[in-house]
Amino acid sequence: MVLRSILVALDSTPASSTAQALAIDLAKRLQCQITGSAVLDRPHITAPSAVGIGGTAFKHHRDQVKLKEAKAFLERLEDRFEASCEAIGAQWQVIEAEGEPHAMIEHEATRHDLLVIGKDT
């Protein structure tokens, strides 16, 4: 069996960084496409929570700030992934998604031959 595509979850944990390096090297050696999956966990960030009187506006503002920070973080992860792939000449792409990370990665994994993910992602 020949691998045509590898999916790797983009995260900043040490195990995830190792998994990404392994997946990129494997994609280069096998000359197959590698896809980095970056998932914005909007449901977790914007989950309802109890707030005091007048706290709804504060929570909405806080959620927007947290979403902006999370998007910037994901962009940095994507940039690092892209640079690593470019450095060794691997064919790559990045898929951005919003939702529950495990569900989004599971869904995207059905379109790839191999899923590489850090143990603590």
Side-chain angles (χ1 to χ4, degrees):
M1 180 176 157
V2 176
L3 289 178
R4 293 180 312 254
S5 64
I6 298 171
L7 176 66
V8 63
L10 301 183
D11 195 352
S12 65
T13 63
S16 183
S17 296
T18 302
Q20 289 175 46
L22 173 71
I24 291 168
D25 181 60
L26 189 58
K28 174 62 177 169
R29 284 191 287 132
L30 299 176
Q31 297 180 350
C32 66
Q33 173 83 29
I34 184 166
T35 301
S37 177
V39 181
L40 178 64
D41 192 354
R42 181 181 290 271
H44 176 74
I45 294 170
T46 62
S49 62
V51 294
I53 295 174
T56 303
F58 172 78
K59 180 177 178 339
H60 177 73
H61 175 71
R62 178 205 159 275
D63 290 351
Q64 297 309 307
V65 169
K66 292 289 185 184
L67 285 170
K68 185 177 178 180
E69 290 172 351
K71 287 178 184 179
F73 175 74
L74 288 177
E75 286 176 9
R76 288 191 301 274
L77 289 178
E78 292 170 17
D79 290 345
R80 252 187 304 189
F81 172 74
E82 292 170 9
S84 297
C85 291
E86 291 282 333
I88 65 168
Q91 293 179 304
W92 60 271
Q93 70 175 345
V94 172
I95 294 178
E96 296 177 355
E98 285 190 22
E100 294 181 353
H102 71 279
M104 303 310 293
I105 292 169
E106 225 177 87
H107 173 73
E108 193 58 40
T110 62
R111 302 179 197 179
H112 294 80
D113 298 322
L114 177 66
L115 169 63
V116 180
I117 189 167
K119 68 176 181 158
D120 51 4
T121 296

